[in-house]
Amino acid sequence: MRALTAAEVLPADPRALLIGRVWVEAAGGPAPVLVRGDGLVDLSRLAPTVADLIAMGDLPARLDGDFPDLGPLQHFLDGAVAEAGDRLLAPPDLQVLKAAGVTFAASMIERVVEEQAKGDPARASDIRARLEPVLGGSLRGLEPGSAKAAEVKGVLQDLGLWSQYLEVGIGPDAEVFTKAPVLSAVGTGARVGLNPISTWNNPEPELVLAVDARGVIKGVTLGNDVNLRDVEGRSALLLSKAKDNNASAAIGPFIRLFDARYTLADAERTEVRLRVEGADGFVLDGLSPMAQISRKPQDIVDQTVGAVHQYPDGFMLYLGTLFAPTQDRGAPGAGFTHSVGDRVTISAPALGALVNWVDLSDACPPWTFGVGALMRNLAARGLL
């Protein structure tokens, strides 16, 4: 791990409207912040939490004011890597961390591969070669829940190829699950965690939407929905163990708010890039073009919040990924899996870069600052 620079993590657009969160050692707790140039200003007196900021109407206009200066972003990036003192945190706080799965055709195929392989990566290559000619052409371009999708479902059922992953991939109902507990996400510069039981796992580079309690999408950031392919492949009922481990949800560096310069339509054209660099010299590059997503982001949001489920503090929503690594790392046919020490960079020019280093979940700093601790801290600082 090494210190990151502001130039590495900030978007290419210097006028991007960015909010996030930092740990302020002197306050013994977090503060919502606004990026101004290469520095940060404290928004705590405007709103004590990022969730409260996202809930505000006309937020971009409210940010055009004088706020206390916290100093250079570089200071907080240094702390993030040192895992001590003032440091950059993941942007969300009280928002529920949700994730959508199987939202791209290629990822549908890989989920079926996992299911058929029963968590054994050695079988994946042969299964992939058998399924791709049949499923690849059938799934691309299909509108989930459409009449055509229903026809394809019938054909695949007749061939004995139907799967629970195809059901959520092209059926009417999206897969939306709770990725991790409130306040448990890690940010840029931190370590991301793998459950030690896993030997077949991968990063998932994704866009993450910031959504208020009414279902209005206020902004977007980057995320790594760390995934244990062998665990979920054994049984879909192990999704919680595959997805929710200490430091297994990374989000950041900042939420880019929608304004006249950057809108949801711009986000929907984003190409999310991935680079994995191992200490062993291994390099993996990937790309997840949002233009190829099967479901519109607003549709996934509408299936997440509404009359049947509410989120009073809003939520962050991982949108899924096209990228599913199959490049061998080690034995031929073994596919990709992480090694401890991997540097994972998820980036997009308009959003900056989320950079993390891979470790085992039980070796990452334990999560100790929960909702109760946050409320006590804010109350002690006179912010509630």
Side-chain angles (χ1 to χ4, degrees):
M1 296 173 68
R2 66 164 179 82
L4 302 169
T5 66
E8 286 180 283
V9 305
L10 288 175
D13 181 0
R15 291 183 287 174
L17 196 55
L18 306 172
I19 61 170
R21 216 164 46 102
V22 299
W23 182 270
V24 181
E25 189 69 16
V33 296
L34 171 70
V35 177
R36 282 191 173 160
D38 288 341
L40 303 175
V41 298
D42 187 350
L43 301 177
S44 297
R45 294 295 170 182
L46 176 64
T49 68
V50 172
D52 287 319
L53 283 175
I54 295 296
M56 288 181 170
D58 198 19
L59 179 56
R62 290 171 180 257
L63 298 177
D64 187 18
D66 292 327
F67 302 101
D69 184 18
L70 286 174
L73 169 59
Q74 189 62 56
H75 171 69
F76 294 91
L77 289 173
D78 292 344
V81 173
E83 300 176 337
D86 295 341
R87 57 195 181 273
L88 187 65
L89 301 173
D93 39 41
L94 296 179
Q95 301 97 319
V96 177
L97 304 180
K98 307 292 288 187
V102 203
T103 52
F104 291 80
S107 68
M108 285 186 244
I109 294 171
E110 285 304 306
R111 296 294 83 78
V112 178
V113 168
E114 290 169 12
E115 182 181 45
Q116 295 286 323
K118 304 300 182 187
D120 181 2
R123 299 178 57 201
S125 183
D126 289 341
I127 294 169
R128 189 176 297 114
R130 182 167 57 87
L131 292 178
E132 170 64 29
V134 179
L135 295 185
S138 299
L139 300 179
R140 291 187 179 92
L142 271 186
E143 180 184 346
S146 66
K148 181 62 177 176
E151 290 178 16
V152 171
K153 176 178 179 177
V155 171
L156 294 174
Q157 285 176 320
D158 291 343
L159 292 172
L161 293 175
W162 192 245
S163 159
Q164 58 196 334
Y165 294 103
L166 294 170
E167 178 65 47
V168 296
I170 67 173
D173 299 313
E175 178 193 17
V176 182
F177 57 93
T178 299
K179 164 65 181 177
V182 168
L183 281 172
S184 68
V186 298
T188 284
R191 284 180 280 173
V192 290
L194 301 172
N195 191 308
I197 67 173
S198 176
T199 58
W200 185 25
N201 44 69
N202 65 276
E204 293 196 349
E206 306 186 16
L207 287 190
V208 183
L209 301 178
V211 188
D212 71 11
R214 298 170 298 152
V216 178
I217 306 170
K218 295 293 190 68
V220 66
T221 186
L222 298 165
N224 184 357
D225 179 13
V226 179
N227 183 46
L228 310 183
R229 301 191 69 180
D230 46 0
V231 174
E232 185 178 356
R234 283 161 47 202
S235 170
L237 297 181
L238 293 174
L239 181 65
S240 176
K241 184 175 285 293
K243 292 290 189 179
D244 183 8
N245 297 285
N246 183 41
S248 67
I251 300 177
F254 298 97
I255 296 169
R256 180 163 186 175
L257 298 174
F258 295 143
D259 58 10
R261 293 183 54 79
Y262 187 79
T263 67
L264 177 59
D266 295 311
E268 290 175 336
R269 293 189 291 269
T270 298
E271 290 190 339
V272 181
R273 296 189 175 275
L274 168 74
R275 187 172 180 84
V276 178
E277 300 167 275
D280 56 0
F282 177 86
V283 175
L284 174 72
D285 288 299
L287 184 68
S288 185
M290 288 302 299
Q292 295 187 35
I293 195 168
S294 301
R295 299 181 189 271
K296 285 287 189 182
Q298 187 63 60
D299 174 58
I300 303 173
V301 169
D302 292 342
Q303 292 202 40
T304 303
V305 64
V308 298
H309 205 313
Q310 297 78 44
Y311 296 89
D313 297 301
F315 57 96
M316 304 293 292
L317 177 62
Y318 286 82
L319 287 177
T321 183
L322 174 67
F323 181 71
T326 59
Q327 179 180 333
D328 287 340
R329 184 181 197 177
F336 171 84
T337 195
H338 270 306
S339 291
V340 169
D342 283 351
R343 172 181 162 138
V344 181
T345 303
I346 296 170
S347 63
L351 301 174
L354 171 65
V355 184
N356 301 101
W357 283 265
V358 173
D359 207 338
L360 300 179
S361 287
D362 55 0
C364 294
W367 172 43
T368 59
F369 194 85
V371 176
L374 175 62
M375 293 300 106
R376 289 189 291 272
N377 177 264
L378 294 178
R381 292 156 59 189
L383 296 173
L384 290 183

